[in-house]
């Protein structure tokens, strides 16, 4: 089909599409209800899944007792580095003391502390959770919370109860991955 050279593009377009029906005006925030504030739904979903996984981990394994050693090593971490961590041979670059915190407070403090340690590119940190001797004869709450939470984090390469001079079974030394 050939078109005369003098017809403009808009006339050709109108003839090609034919009759149109105008759309109804869309309500804007100025004329209708205000739009709700945006939410980070995927982040909220990830957080709730992580909390569910954390609760499952707490229920699935036997809790640590007051004198038990907390220990964990990723498969890709050389055994020699883990031995150095166990002996307390890494320089501790920051420390978090959770004494007196509730489980909910301790979890928030621990997540914030580890995030800041990662941001500052710390290699080794100490977390003091206490031995849990006041746990009314039950398992030490903060010690188990720290153990389970550290196992879940991708930025934690290994952790081990500190040597006696650095807190013993009432603290853990944590080896962190660099960004």
């Amino acid at each position: 089909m050939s078109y005369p050279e003098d017809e403009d593009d808009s006339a050709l377009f109108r003839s090609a599409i034919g009759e149109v029906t105008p759309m109804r005006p869309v309500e804007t925030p100025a004329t209708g209800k205000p739009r709700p504030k945006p939410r980070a739904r995927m982040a909220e979903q990830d957080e709730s899944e992580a909390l569910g996984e954390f609760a499952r981990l707490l229920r699935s394994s036997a809790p640590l007792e007051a004198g038990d050693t907390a220990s964990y090593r990723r498969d890709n971490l050389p055994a020699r580095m883990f031995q150095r961590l166990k002996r307390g041979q890494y320089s501790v670059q920051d420390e978090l003391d959770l004494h007196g915190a509730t489980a909910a407070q301790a979890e928030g403090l621990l997540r914030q502390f580890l995030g800041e340690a990662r941001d500052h590119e710390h290699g080794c940190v100490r977390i003091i959770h206490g031995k849990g001797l006041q746990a009314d004869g039950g398992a030490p709450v903060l010690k188990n919370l720290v153990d389970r939470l550290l196992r879940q984090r991708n930025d934690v390469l290994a952790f081990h109860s500190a040597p006696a001079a650095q807190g013993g079974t009432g603290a853990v030394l944590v080896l962190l991955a660099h960004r």
Side-chain angles (χ1 to χ4, degrees):
M1 177 184 274
S2 65
Y3 296 104
E5 296 285 329
D6 60 342
E7 282 193 57
D8 65 358
D9 288 341
S10 59
L12 284 173
F13 179 76
R14 282 193 298 277
S15 69
I17 62 166
E19 189 77 22
V20 294
T21 305
M23 292 177 53
R24 287 180 282 148
V26 178
E27 285 189 19
T28 61
T31 61
K33 294 190 297 187
R35 289 187 176 176
K37 289 187 179 185
R39 286 183 20 222
R41 288 189 307 243
M42 295 308 288
E44 290 171 2
Q45 180 181 346
D46 289 347
E47 186 67 24
S48 68
E49 286 174 6
L51 288 174
E53 178 68 15
F54 180 66
R56 188 188 64 71
L57 268 175
L58 279 176
R59 289 189 305 269
S60 69
S61 58
L64 295 170
E65 297 298 325
D68 291 349
T69 298
S71 186
Y72 170 79
R73 175 177 76 97
R74 289 200 184 274
D75 293 335
N76 61 346
L77 183 76
R80 185 171 178 205
M81 290 180 74
F82 189 58
Q83 289 301 320
R84 288 187 63 206
L85 180 70
K86 286 169 70 171
R87 289 188 216 114
Q89 294 177 338
Y90 285 103
S91 174
V92 173
Q93 295 168 300
D94 205 354
E95 179 176 278
L96 173 66
D97 190 344
L98 296 173
H99 278 110
T102 66
Q105 291 169 335
E107 184 178 355
L109 289 169
L110 184 56
R111 288 180 191 275
Q112 179 183 358
F113 174 74
L114 292 171
E116 290 172 3
R118 182 186 62 241
D119 292 344
H120 289 95
E121 298 185 7
H122 292 324
C124 182
V125 295
R126 180 177 22 246
I127 300 166
I128 302 168
H129 48 68
K131 294 185 180 186
L133 299 176
Q134 285 86 25
D136 297 327
V141 176
L142 296 181
K143 182 174 188 169
N144 282 286
L145 177 110
V146 168
D147 179 77
R148 300 312 191 276
L149 195 86
L150 291 177
R151 288 173 188 271
Q152 288 184 337
R153 294 193 55 109
N154 291 330
D155 55 350
V156 173
L157 296 174
F159 64 87
H160 194 277
S161 290
Q166 295 184 36
T169 57
V172 290
L173 298 178
V174 183
L175 200 58
L176 298 171
H178 292 291
R179 283 195 274 176

